[in-house]
Amino acid sequence: MLLDVNNLHAKVAETDKEILKGVNLQVNPGEVHAIMGPNGSGKSTFANVLAGREDYEVTDGRVLFDGEDLLEMEPEERARAGLFLAFQYPVEIPGVSNKLFLFTAVNAVREARGLPPLEMHEFEELAAEKMKLLKMRPDMLERSVNVGFSGGEKKRNDIFQMAMLEPKLAVMDETDSGLDIDALRIVADGVNSLRDGQRSFIVVTHYQRLLDYIKPDFVHVLYNGRIIKSGGFELAHELEEKGYDDLIRQFG
Amino acid sequence: MTTSSASLAKQDFPRHPQSDKLLAWVRSAVEALNASDPRPLRRDVRMQALQALETRGFPSRKDEDWQYTPLNDVLKADYATPAAGSVDASQVETMRPPFAASVQVLVDGVWQPDLSDPLPKGVALASIEQVDELTLKRWQQLATVERDAFELMNLALLERGAQLSATGMVDLPVVLLHLYTQSNGIAAPRHLLRVEPQAQLSLIEIHATLRDGAALSVPVMETDVGSGGILRHVKLQQVSEQAFHMAHHFLRQQDGSDSASVYAALGGSVTRHMTHTCLLGENANADINSAGLATGTQVMDSRTYTGHDVPNCTSRQLHKLVVDDAARGVFDGMIRVARGAQKTDGLMDNKNLLLGPKAKVDAKPRLEIYADDVKCSHGSATGELDRDQVFYLRARGISEADARLLITTAFLTEPVESISNDAVRHWLHDLLAAKLNP
């Protein structure tokens, strides 16, 4: 098992407000899981707690990632161990070029995996190849991280980072928010191109439309900090037709 | 908030209670200089400046311009009697910047042709000793109580410095390498720079001390850029951590001229640099940037005055301070648009980053506009490192220390990224980055 989440409880560090109230989830290598749910159900919190954002405090539960205690690891250690968070709102970092940022990141991850660092020219070749795959303009590498990027370009930049860092598990935090249908398709194509039967995905989303392109193996409904129903891809369709209210009345 | 110099009375200059010690030092230095100087006009410039300085004294923190920059340590220090230091060629070699340039060495403010490179074609350099009578008469007029105390101190100590002029397109950058040799000396070089009409010059000033200690440097540079002239100016301040540096750069620009100036502050205990720009001819442009990194208990003060005196001129400014530990940063910037200076386009941006819990920045950006058809703006923001930016980098496997360093370096070096000479830009970028990551 790649990820084993057991009875995870978490609160907002500043306000003590409990958001996650006992989440259980198991992900095997190569599986794609979708987590759906209404606004405020705790979807984004779940994604961010997995990545180690300090705004949240875990109060109970256990998370094993590749057999290691994930919650004991710093955010950078989680990334080096192969966990990747695609951000709902990728951050702009003026003055730091995509190239320097990603070159530093790739070599930090390689070092942790016992691989020799890439030379700059090797890195550039690899980056050019991945960018072509994602239909990104080559000059994006020279620009400051996400500065002046459109919403779609920011998300694509995140997928590009994923392609460069080759994680074992990618957690997509509402990657589809704010994307038009073309951008959505490009992001989905990017994700699908990274599905290799070994890499796993947790796709957090409010809507079904991204899932139509990605086609998850499992769909979970998160409500009020707990997963109230799990099923196959058909559950997403059911939700699209009937909405969350029915389900919440039944299980919530 | 208009200040008309004629209406200023003596009480407008709150006097620092510890002024007398340094005033006495300046008086005895002036008397020694005048005793050996047969030229009455120079003696008079010195004496008038001394008297104005003694009348106003050094400013206390009740003086609005000195509210955030304490002079106690500067005034308390024991300074040695003036002496002309000497350096050898190997010392110059170690201080030489790593880019192609004509390096002109100034030891305690005195130009040393023997230690200096040949001058590039189009550049003339002479000691300030040879300054003409007209300039001396102008300086006589300057020696009034309304001027800044350190500017007056520089004028009172008139002796050292260089006159530099550029004609035509000068293709090699000229470096004024200031080496201060006395650990507790005072040096007050005064330079005149003239960029002739249509000429182009790149000038780099380096101010460095060769020994640790409470030395005080008080340089003044007066620059005139003629019609259509182009000036690229960089100043690096890297005096020792105990030293004081109180500097002025007066820049006057004629029509169609273009200047770009970057001040980088690294060293010093208490330091200040003022870039005072007057746009005197139409269609002139001035870019004025600064980047300062204050650590420990350093006090770094960077300020500008930008006078749009005629219509159709532009100015662009970006000033950044990164302040760590218990250090202090001060930014003060004023854009003044004179009556009738229509179509003025002036932008001034100041951003400061606080790294230490005891770090502090005081910023005072100001606009005074007396014309009605202008586009002017100023902004100032001080904050801590953005946690979301740090997390974003960490979430990609970069350590927290490296993430902070990447973001801070990018923040600090932005004002130098506009330097057009690649080698000069890299040199300055690397110096700033090296202080962040020692």
Side-chain angles (χ1 to χ4, degrees), chain B residues 313-386:
Chain B
C313 290
T314 53
S315 60
R316 292 286 177 272
Q317 301 187 48
L318 176 63
H319 303 281
K320 289 194 163 181
L321 287 162
V322 174
V323 185
D324 202 351
D325 307 319
R328 300 279 301 258
V330 182
F331 172 73
D332 188 303
M334 157 80 94
I335 299 176
R336 186 176 186 280
V337 181
R339 199 177 304 278
Q342 306 296 6
K343 306 287 180 195
T344 286
D345 180 353
L347 290 178
M348 177 167 64
D349 198 8
N350 165 234
K351 290 201 174 84
N352 310 304
L353 182 59
L354 302 175
L355 296 181
K358 291 181 176 167
K360 194 168 184 286
V361 169
D362 292 290
K364 211 160 63 174
R366 289 172 289 163
L367 288 175
E368 267 182 29
I369 301 177
Y370 301 100
D372 52 22
D373 182 16
V374 303
K375 202 169 84 187
C376 278
S377 78
H378 69 310
S380 178
T382 299
E384 293 171 21
L385 216 51
D386 186 314

Coordinates of all heavy atoms in Angstrom, one line a residue, chain B residues 313-386:
Chain B
C313 N 9.4 65.2 -18.1 CA 10.5 64.3 -17.7 C 9.9 63.1 -17.0 O 8.8 63.1 -16.5 CB 11.4 65.0 -16.7 SG 12.4 66.3 -17.5
T314 N 10.7 62.0 -16.9 CA 10.3 60.8 -16.3 C 11.3 60.4 -15.2 O 12.5 60.7 -15.3 CB 10.1 59.6 -17.3 OG1 11.3 59.5 -18.0 CG2 9.0 59.9 -18.2
S315 N 10.8 59.8 -14.2 CA 11.7 59.2 -13.2 C 11.1 57.8 -12.7 O 9.9 57.7 -12.6 CB 11.9 60.1 -12.0 OG 10.7 60.4 -11.4
R316 N 12.0 56.9 -12.5 CA 11.5 55.5 -12.0 C 12.4 55.1 -10.9 O 13.6 55.2 -11.0 CB 11.7 54.5 -13.2 CG 10.8 54.7 -14.4 CD 9.4 54.3 -14.0 NE 8.4 54.5 -15.1 CZ 7.8 55.7 -15.3 NH1 8.0 56.7 -14.4 NH2 6.9 55.8 -16.2
Q317 N 11.8 54.7 -9.8 CA 12.6 54.3 -8.6 C 12.1 53.0 -8.0 O 10.9 52.8 -7.9 CB 12.5 55.4 -7.5 CG 13.0 56.8 -8.0 CD 13.0 57.8 -6.9 OE1 13.5 57.5 -5.8 NE2 12.4 59.0 -7.1
L318 N 13.1 52.2 -7.6 CA 12.8 51.0 -6.8 C 13.8 50.9 -5.7 O 15.0 50.8 -6.0 CB 12.8 49.7 -7.7 CG 12.6 48.4 -7.0 CD1 11.2 48.3 -6.4 CD2 12.8 47.2 -7.9
H319 N 13.3 50.9 -4.5 CA 14.2 50.8 -3.3 C 13.8 49.7 -2.4 O 12.7 49.5 -2.1 CB 14.2 52.1 -2.6 CG 14.5 53.3 -3.4 ND1 15.8 53.7 -3.7 CD2 13.7 54.2 -4.0 CE1 15.8 54.8 -4.5 NE2 14.5 55.1 -4.7
K320 N 14.8 48.8 -2.1 CA 14.5 47.7 -1.3 C 15.5 47.6 -0.1 O 16.7 47.8 -0.3 CB 14.6 46.4 -2.1 CG 13.4 46.3 -3.1 CD 13.3 44.9 -3.6 CE 12.0 44.7 -4.2 NZ 11.8 43.3 -4.8
L321 N 15.0 47.3 1.0 CA 15.8 47.0 2.2 C 15.4 45.7 2.8 O 14.2 45.4 3.0 CB 15.6 48.1 3.3 CG 16.1 49.5 3.0 CD1 15.5 50.5 3.9 CD2 17.7 49.5 3.3
V322 N 16.4 44.8 3.1 CA 16.2 43.6 3.8 C 16.9 43.8 5.1 O 18.1 44.1 5.2 CB 16.8 42.4 3.0 CG1 16.7 41.1 3.9 CG2 16.0 42.2 1.7
V323 N 16.1 43.6 6.2 CA 16.7 43.9 7.5 C 16.5 42.7 8.4 O 15.4 42.1 8.6 CB 15.9 45.1 8.1 CG1 16.5 45.5 9.5 CG2 15.9 46.3 7.2
D324 N 17.7 42.2 9.0 CA 17.7 41.0 9.8 C 18.1 41.4 11.2 O 18.5 42.5 11.5 CB 18.7 40.0 9.2 CG 18.4 38.6 9.6 OD1 17.6 38.4 10.5 OD2 19.0 37.7 9.1
D325 N 18.1 40.4 12.1 CA 18.5 40.6 13.5 C 17.9 41.8 14.2 O 16.7 41.9 14.1 CB 20.1 40.7 13.5 CG 20.7 39.5 12.8 OD1 20.2 38.4 13.0 OD2 21.7 39.7 12.1
A326 N 18.7 42.7 14.7 CA 18.2 43.9 15.4 C 18.5 45.1 14.6 O 18.7 46.2 15.1 CB 18.7 44.0 16.8
A327 N 18.7 44.9 13.3 CA 19.1 46.0 12.4 C 18.0 47.0 12.1 O 16.8 46.6 12.3 CB 19.8 45.5 11.2
R328 N 18.3 48.1 11.6 CA 17.3 49.1 11.2 C 17.5 49.6 9.8 O 18.6 49.8 9.4 CB 17.5 50.4 12.1 CG 17.3 50.2 13.6 CD 15.9 50.1 14.0 NE 15.1 51.3 13.7 CZ 14.8 52.3 14.6 NH1 15.2 52.2 15.8 NH2 14.1 53.3 14.2
G329 N 16.4 49.8 9.1 CA 16.5 50.3 7.8 C 15.6 51.6 7.7 O 14.6 51.7 8.4
V330 N 16.1 52.5 6.9 CA 15.4 53.8 6.8 C 15.3 54.1 5.3 O 16.3 54.0 4.6 CB 16.1 54.9 7.5 CG1 15.3 56.2 7.4 CG2 16.4 54.6 9.0
F331 N 14.1 54.3 4.8 CA 14.0 54.9 3.5 C 13.2 56.2 3.5 O 12.2 56.3 4.2 CB 13.3 53.9 2.5 CG 13.0 54.5 1.2 CD1 14.0 54.7 0.3 CD2 11.7 54.9 0.9 CE1 13.8 55.4 -0.9 CE2 11.4 55.6 -0.3 CZ 12.5 55.8 -1.2
D332 N 13.7 57.1 2.8 CA 13.0 58.4 2.7 C 13.1 58.8 1.2 O 14.2 58.9 0.7 CB 13.7 59.4 3.6 CG 12.9 60.7 3.7 OD1 12.7 61.4 2.7 OD2 12.6 61.1 4.8
G333 N 12.0 59.1 0.6 CA 12.0 59.5 -0.8 C 11.1 60.6 -1.0 O 9.9 60.5 -0.6
M334 N 11.5 61.6 -1.8 CA 10.6 62.7 -2.1 C 10.7 63.0 -3.6 O 11.7 63.1 -4.2 CB 11.1 63.9 -1.3 CG 10.7 65.3 -1.9 SD 9.0 65.7 -1.5 CE 9.4 66.7 -0.1
I335 N 9.5 63.0 -4.2 CA 9.4 63.5 -5.6 C 8.7 64.9 -5.5 O 7.7 65.0 -4.9 CB 8.5 62.6 -6.4 CG1 9.1 61.1 -6.5 CG2 8.4 63.1 -7.8 CD1 8.3 60.1 -7.2
R336 N 9.4 65.8 -6.1 CA 8.8 67.2 -6.0 C 8.6 67.6 -7.5 O 9.6 67.7 -8.3 CB 9.8 68.2 -5.3 CG 9.2 69.5 -5.1 CD 10.1 70.4 -4.3 NE 9.5 71.7 -4.0 CZ 9.4 72.7 -4.9 NH1 9.9 72.6 -6.1 NH2 8.8 73.8 -4.5
V337 N 7.4 68.0 -7.8 CA 7.1 68.4 -9.2 C 6.8 69.9 -9.1 O 5.9 70.4 -8.4 CB 5.8 67.7 -9.7 CG1 5.5 68.2 -11.1 CG2 6.1 66.2 -9.7
A338 N 7.7 70.7 -9.7 CA 7.6 72.2 -9.7 C 6.4 72.7 -10.4 O 5.8 72.0 -11.3 CB 8.9 72.8 -10.2
R339 N 5.9 73.9 -10.1 CA 4.9 74.6 -10.8 C 5.2 74.6 -12.3 O 6.4 74.9 -12.7 CB 4.8 76.0 -10.3 CG 3.5 76.7 -10.6 CD 3.5 78.1 -10.0 NE 3.7 78.0 -8.5 CZ 2.8 77.8 -7.6 NH1 1.5 77.5 -8.0 NH2 3.1 77.8 -6.3
G340 N 4.3 74.2 -13.1 CA 4.6 74.2 -14.6 C 5.2 73.0 -15.1 O 5.3 72.9 -16.4
A341 N 5.7 72.1 -14.3 CA 6.4 70.9 -14.8 C 5.3 69.8 -15.2 O 5.2 68.7 -14.7 CB 7.3 70.3 -13.7
Q342 N 4.5 70.2 -16.3 CA 3.4 69.4 -16.7 C 4.0 68.1 -17.4 O 5.1 68.1 -17.8 CB 2.5 70.1 -17.7 CG 2.0 71.5 -17.2 CD 1.1 71.3 -16.0 OE1 0.9 70.2 -15.4 NE2 0.5 72.5 -15.5
K343 N 3.1 67.1 -17.5 CA 3.4 65.8 -18.1 C 4.6 65.1 -17.4 O 5.3 64.3 -18.0 CB 3.7 66.0 -19.6 CG 2.7 66.7 -20.4 CD 1.4 65.8 -20.6 CE 0.4 66.6 -21.4 NZ -0.9 65.9 -21.3
T344 N 4.8 65.5 -16.2 CA 5.8 64.7 -15.4 C 5.3 63.3 -15.1 O 4.1 63.1 -14.9 CB 6.0 65.4 -14.0 OG1 6.8 66.6 -14.3 CG2 6.7 64.6 -13.0
D345 N 6.2 62.4 -15.2 CA 5.8 61.0 -15.0 C 6.8 60.4 -14.0 O 7.9 60.1 -14.3 CB 5.8 60.2 -16.3 CG 5.5 58.8 -16.2 OD1 5.3 58.3 -15.0 OD2 5.3 58.1 -17.2
G346 N 6.4 60.3 -12.8 CA 7.3 59.9 -11.7 C 6.8 58.7 -10.9 O 5.6 58.8 -10.4
L347 N 7.5 57.7 -10.8 CA 7.1 56.5 -10.0 C 8.2 56.2 -9.0 O 9.3 56.1 -9.3 CB 6.9 55.3 -10.9 CG 5.8 55.2 -11.9 CD1 5.9 53.9 -12.7 CD2 4.5 55.3 -11.1
M348 N 7.7 55.9 -7.7 CA 8.7 55.6 -6.7 C 8.1 54.4 -5.9 O 7.0 54.5 -5.4 CB 9.0 56.8 -5.8 CG 9.9 56.5 -4.6 SD 10.5 58.0 -3.8 CE 9.0 58.6 -3.2
D349 N 8.8 53.3 -5.8 CA 8.4 52.2 -5.1 C 9.4 51.7 -4.1 O 10.6 51.7 -4.4 CB 8.1 51.0 -6.1 CG 7.2 49.9 -5.5 OD1 6.7 50.2 -4.4 OD2 7.1 48.9 -6.2
N350 N 8.9 51.5 -2.9 CA 9.8 51.1 -1.8 C 9.3 49.8 -1.2 O 8.1 49.8 -0.8 CB 10.0 52.2 -0.8 CG 10.5 51.7 0.6 OD1 10.0 51.9 1.6 ND2 11.7 51.0 0.5
K351 N 10.1 48.7 -1.1 CA 9.6 47.5 -0.5 C 10.7 47.0 0.5 O 11.9 47.0 0.1 CB 9.4 46.4 -1.6 CG 8.2 46.7 -2.5 CD 7.7 45.4 -3.1 CE 6.4 45.6 -3.9 NZ 6.7 46.1 -5.2
N352 N 10.2 46.6 1.6 CA 11.2 46.2 2.7 C 10.8 44.8 3.3 O 9.6 44.5 3.4 CB 11.2 47.2 3.8 CG 11.4 48.6 3.2 OD1 12.3 48.9 2.5 ND2 10.5 49.5 3.5
L353 N 11.8 44.1 3.6 CA 11.6 42.7 4.1 C 12.2 42.6 5.5 O 13.4 42.9 5.6 CB 12.2 41.7 3.2 CG 12.0 40.2 3.4 CD1 10.5 39.8 3.5 CD2 12.7 39.4 2.3
L354 N 11.4 42.2 6.5 CA 11.9 42.1 7.8 C 12.2 40.6 8.1 O 11.3 39.8 8.0 CB 10.9 42.6 8.9 CG 10.5 44.0 8.7 CD1 9.4 44.4 9.7 CD2 11.7 45.0 8.9
L355 N 13.5 40.2 8.4 CA 13.8 38.8 8.6 C 13.9 38.5 10.1 O 13.5 37.4 10.6 CB 15.1 38.5 8.0 CG 15.1 38.6 6.4 CD1 16.5 38.2 5.9 CD2 14.0 37.7 5.8
G356 N 14.3 39.5 10.9 CA 14.5 39.2 12.4 C 13.4 39.8 13.2 O 12.7 40.8 12.7
P357 N 13.1 39.2 14.3 CA 12.0 39.7 15.1 C 12.2 41.1 15.7 O 11.3 41.8 16.0 CB 11.9 38.6 16.3 CG 13.2 38.0 16.3 CD 13.8 38.0 14.9
K358 N 13.5 41.5 15.8 CA 13.8 42.8 16.3 C 14.1 43.8 15.1 O 14.5 44.9 15.4 CB 14.9 42.8 17.3 CG 14.6 42.1 18.6 CD 15.8 42.1 19.5 CE 15.5 41.6 20.8 NZ 16.7 41.3 21.6
A359 N 14.0 43.3 13.9 CA 14.4 44.2 12.8 C 13.3 45.2 12.6 O 12.1 45.0 12.9 CB 14.5 43.3 11.5
K360 N 13.6 46.4 12.0 CA 12.7 47.5 11.9 C 13.0 48.3 10.7 O 14.2 48.5 10.4 CB 12.7 48.3 13.2 CG 11.5 49.3 13.3 CD 11.5 49.9 14.7 CE 10.3 50.7 15.0 NZ 10.3 52.0 14.3
V361 N 12.0 48.8 10.0 CA 12.2 49.7 8.9 C 11.3 50.9 9.1 O 10.1 50.7 9.4 CB 11.9 49.0 7.5 CG1 11.8 50.1 6.4 CG2 12.9 48.0 7.2
D362 N 11.8 52.1 8.9 CA 11.0 53.3 8.9 C 11.0 53.8 7.5 O 12.1 54.1 6.9 CB 11.5 54.3 9.9 CG 11.3 53.8 11.3 OD1 10.1 53.8 11.7 OD2 12.2 53.5 12.0
A363 N 9.9 54.0 6.8 CA 9.8 54.4 5.5 C 8.9 55.7 5.3 O 7.9 55.8 6.0 CB 9.3 53.3 4.6
K364 N 9.4 56.6 4.5 CA 8.7 57.8 4.4 C 8.7 58.3 2.9 O 9.5 59.1 2.5 CB 9.3 58.9 5.3 CG 8.3 59.9 5.8 CD 8.8 60.7 7.0 CE 10.0 61.5 6.8 NZ 10.4 62.3 8.0
P365 N 7.9 57.7 2.1 CA 7.8 58.2 0.7 C 6.9 59.4 0.6 O 5.9 59.5 1.3 CB 7.2 57.0 0.0 CG 6.4 56.3 1.0 CD 6.9 56.6 2.3
R366 N 7.3 60.4 -0.2 CA 6.5 61.7 -0.2 C 6.4 62.2 -1.6 O 7.3 62.0 -2.4 CB 7.2 62.7 0.7 CG 7.1 62.4 2.2 CD 7.9 63.4 3.0 NE 9.3 63.1 2.8 CZ 10.3 64.0 3.1 NH1 9.9 65.2 3.6 NH2 11.6 63.7 3.0
L367 N 5.3 62.9 -1.9 CA 5.1 63.6 -3.1 C 4.8 65.0 -2.8 O 4.0 65.3 -1.9 CB 3.9 63.0 -3.9 CG 4.0 61.6 -4.5 CD1 2.7 61.2 -5.1 CD2 5.1 61.6 -5.6
E368 N 5.4 65.9 -3.6 CA 4.9 67.3 -3.5 C 4.7 67.8 -4.9 O 5.6 67.8 -5.7 CB 6.0 68.2 -2.9 CG 5.9 68.4 -1.4 CD 7.0 69.4 -0.9 OE1 7.4 70.3 -1.7 OE2 7.3 69.2 0.3
I369 N 3.5 68.1 -5.3 CA 3.1 68.3 -6.7 C 2.5 69.7 -6.8 O 1.5 70.0 -6.2 CB 2.2 67.2 -7.2 CG1 2.8 65.9 -7.1 CG2 1.8 67.5 -8.6 CD1 2.0 64.7 -7.5
Y370 N 3.1 70.5 -7.6 CA 2.6 71.9 -7.9 C 2.2 72.1 -9.3 O 2.1 73.2 -9.8 CB 3.7 72.9 -7.4 CG 4.1 72.8 -6.0 CD1 5.3 72.1 -5.6 CD2 3.3 73.2 -5.0 CE1 5.6 71.9 -4.3 CE2 3.6 73.1 -3.6 CZ 4.8 72.4 -3.3 OH 5.1 72.2 -2.0
A371 N 2.0 71.0 -10.0 CA 1.5 71.1 -11.4 C 0.3 70.2 -11.5 O 0.1 69.3 -10.7 CB 2.6 70.6 -12.4
D372 N -0.6 70.5 -12.5 CA -1.9 69.8 -12.4 C -2.0 68.7 -13.4 O -2.9 67.9 -13.4 CB -3.1 70.8 -12.6 CG -2.9 71.7 -13.8 OD1 -2.1 71.3 -14.7 OD2 -3.5 72.8 -13.8
D373 N -1.1 68.6 -14.4 CA -1.2 67.5 -15.4 C 0.0 66.6 -15.3 O 0.9 66.6 -16.1 CB -1.3 68.2 -16.8 CG -1.5 67.1 -17.9 OD1 -1.8 66.0 -17.5 OD2 -1.3 67.5 -19.1
V374 N 0.0 65.8 -14.2 CA 1.2 64.9 -14.0 C 0.7 63.5 -13.7 O -0.5 63.3 -13.3 CB 2.0 65.4 -12.8 CG1 2.5 66.8 -13.1 CG2 1.3 65.3 -11.5
K375 N 1.6 62.5 -13.8 CA 1.3 61.2 -13.4 C 2.4 60.8 -12.4 O 3.6 60.5 -12.8 CB 1.4 60.3 -14.7 CG 0.6 59.0 -14.5 CD 0.5 58.3 -15.9 CE 1.7 57.5 -16.2 NZ 1.7 56.9 -17.6
C376 N 2.1 60.8 -11.2 CA 3.0 60.5 -10.1 C 2.5 59.5 -9.2 O 1.3 59.5 -8.8 CB 3.4 61.7 -9.3 SG 4.6 62.7 -10.2
S377 N 3.3 58.5 -8.7 CA 2.8 57.7 -7.7 C 3.9 57.2 -6.8 O 5.1 57.2 -7.2 CB 2.1 56.4 -8.3 OG 3.0 55.5 -8.7
H378 N 3.6 56.9 -5.6 CA 4.6 56.3 -4.7 C 4.0 55.3 -3.8 O 2.8 55.4 -3.5 CB 5.3 57.4 -3.8 CG 4.4 58.0 -2.8 ND1 3.1 58.5 -3.1 CD2 4.6 58.2 -1.5 CE1 2.6 59.0 -2.0 NE2 3.4 58.8 -1.0
G379 N 4.8 54.3 -3.5 CA 4.2 53.2 -2.6 C 5.3 52.7 -1.7 O 6.5 52.8 -2.0
S380 N 4.9 52.2 -0.6 CA 5.9 51.6 0.3 C 5.2 50.5 1.1 O 4.1 50.6 1.5 CB 6.4 52.7 1.3 OG 7.3 52.1 2.2
A381 N 5.9 49.4 1.2 CA 5.3 48.2 1.9 C 6.4 47.5 2.6 O 7.5 47.3 2.1 CB 4.7 47.3 0.9
T382 N 6.2 47.2 3.9 CA 7.1 46.4 4.7 C 6.5 45.2 5.2 O 5.4 45.3 5.8 CB 7.6 47.3 5.8 OG1 8.3 48.5 5.3 CG2 8.6 46.6 6.7
G383 N 7.1 44.1 5.1 CA 6.5 42.9 5.6 C 7.5 41.8 5.8 O 8.7 42.0 5.6
E384 N 7.0 40.6 6.3 CA 7.9 39.5 6.6 C 7.8 38.6 5.3 O 7.1 38.8 4.4 CB 7.4 38.8 7.8 CG 7.6 39.6 9.1 CD 7.0 39.0 10.3 OE1 6.7 37.8 10.3 OE2 6.7 39.7 11.2
L385 N 8.7 37.6 5.4 CA 8.7 36.6 4.3 C 7.4 35.9 4.2 O 6.7 35.6 5.2 CB 9.8 35.5 4.7 CG 10.6 35.0 3.6 CD1 11.3 36.0 2.7 CD2 11.7 34.1 4.2
D386 N 6.9 35.8 2.9 CA 5.6 35.2 2.7 C 5.6 33.7 2.9 O 6.3 33.0 2.3 CB 5.2 35.5 1.2 CG 3.8 35.1 0.8 OD1 3.4 34.0 1.2 OD2 3.2 35.9 0.2

